[in-house]
């Protein structure tokens, strides 16, 4: 596709379960970001990948959150032992190169932990 | 931590009116961006400003970056219902993470 694709669009899971959220960035974009947006808030930074490596993971709230990008394209955000407070929209964005000021966002995955 | 404060938080106006929304920070940013987000969608980039005092126009939207690169404004002339959405400002210093404000939710009624 032409844009950033995120799957699933919606995910409902029970407290304590493990979830994986997928992001397929724009082809050729080397920079990839994960953000989390809670109701009534702006997006909050989670992690940034330059290629395959996590260049900045300072926004991950705790060690239950982990993300990978093994081949420098698709990325997966993994959340272990989900809690109700993890409920939010998880947004992925990609940029053509490191330092680019243009970020292109996907439509997000709405995660609900019940 | 949200370093950017946006005001007003909510704005409801009628079609044809003009409006200005503000984005303020105590921090200096090397660039600042404005996004518009509609329900169920991700933010869409409207503009990037990088020079203090810079003014950019996008049809009926006028964006200004403060001289000290700490604040910005977005002015919409003759608002239309299609302008309805959440307007987010975001600052960047390192080319890494964007720091977003909470946004201004705009409703334009016919």
């Amino acid at each position: 596709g032409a844009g950033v694709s995120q799957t699933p669009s919606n995910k409902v899971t029970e407290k304590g379960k493990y979830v994986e959220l997928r992001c397929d960035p724009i082809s050729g974009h080397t920079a990839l970001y994960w953000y989390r947006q809670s109701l009534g808030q702006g997006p909050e930074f989670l992690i940034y990948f330059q290629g395959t490596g996590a260049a900045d993971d300072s926004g991950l709230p705790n060690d239950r959150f982990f993300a990978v990008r093994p081949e420098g394209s698709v990325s997966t955000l993994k959340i272990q032992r989900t809690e109700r407070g993890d409920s939010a929209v998880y947004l992925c964005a990609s940029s053509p190169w490191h330092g680019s000021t243009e970020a292109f966002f996907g439509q997000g995955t709405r995660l609900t932990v019940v | 931590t949200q370093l950017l404060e946006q005001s007003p938080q909510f704005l409801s106006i009628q079609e044809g009116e003009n409006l200005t929304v503000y984005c303020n920070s105590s921090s200096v940013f090397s660039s600042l961006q404005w996004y518009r987000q509609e329900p169920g969608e991700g933010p869409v980039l409207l503009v990037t400003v990088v020079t203090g005092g810079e003014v950019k126009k996008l049809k009926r939207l006028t964006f200004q970056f403060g001289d000290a690169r700490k604040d910005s404004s977005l002015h919409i002339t003759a608002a239309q219902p299609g302008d309805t959405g959440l307007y987010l400002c975001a600052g960047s210093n390192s080319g890494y993470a964007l720091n977003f404000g909470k946004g201004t939710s705009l409703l334009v009624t016919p």
Side-chain angles (χ1 to χ4, degrees):
Chain A
V4 177
S5 176
Q6 292 187 245
T7 54
S9 298
N10 287 282
K11 176 71 176 178
V12 180
T13 191
E14 293 182 345
K15 179 177 177 294
K17 297 290 188 182
Y18 167 84
V19 295
E20 290 189 352
L21 312 179
R22 175 188 168 106
C23 172
D24 204 337
I26 293 173
S27 178
H29 281 196
T30 60
L32 185 146
Y33 309 80
W34 283 99
Y35 289 85
R36 178 168 70 174
Q37 188 173 24
S38 300
L39 193 63
Q41 303 290 319
E44 291 184 294
F45 169 73
L46 295 177
I47 187 169
Y48 161 69
F49 286 90
Q50 177 57 26
T52 61
D56 182 359
D57 64 357
S58 62
L60 295 178
N62 52 60
D63 60 8
R64 295 186 298 104
F65 288 75
F66 189 71
V68 295
R69 195 186 184 199
E71 298 178 356
S73 178
V74 171
S75 177
T76 305
L77 178 66
K78 307 180 181 191
I79 310 174
Q80 298 178 323
R81 305 183 303 280
T82 52
E83 299 177 358
R84 292 196 178 88
D86 299 334
S87 296
V89 175
Y90 289 81
L91 293 164
C92 176
S94 69
S95 293
W97 59 83
H98 167 64
S100 169
T101 57
E102 291 189 320
F104 298 86
F105 282 82
Q107 84 284 4
T109 294
R110 179 174 297 278
L111 176 66
T112 303
V113 182
V114 297
Chain B
T1 302
Q2 301 281 6
L3 300 178
L4 290 161
E5 297 289 335
Q6 290 191 244
S7 61
Q9 191 173 354
F10 300 100
L11 190 55
S12 180
I13 62 171
Q14 291 196 316
E15 183 176 4
E17 294 184 14
N18 302 330
L19 67 117
T20 302
V21 299
Y22 301 91
C23 174
N24 295 294
S25 175
S26 58
S27 302
V28 175
F29 292 102
S30 59
S31 69
L32 193 141
Q33 301 179 323
W34 285 91
Y35 290 82
R36 187 165 76 99
Q37 185 177 24
E38 297 191 37
E41 301 292 328
V44 175
L45 179 65
L46 297 174
V47 76
T48 299
V49 285
V50 297
T51 305
E54 182 176 5
V55 176
K56 281 192 174 180
K57 292 191 176 183
L58 183 65
K59 296 183 181 179
R60 295 176 293 100
L61 278 60
T62 301
F63 304 86
Q64 184 162 7
F65 202 12
D67 291 340
R69 290 187 288 130
K70 291 182 179 182
D71 54 83
S72 181
S73 64
L74 159 59
H75 181 80
I76 301 179
T77 303
Q80 298 177 1
D83 296 326
T84 293
L86 179 67
Y87 288 83
L88 294 157
C89 67
S92 174
N93 269 326
S94 63
Y96 284 30
L98 290 171
N99 298 288
F100 281 89
K102 289 186 178 182
T104 292
S105 182
L106 173 65
L107 174 64
V108 183
T109 54

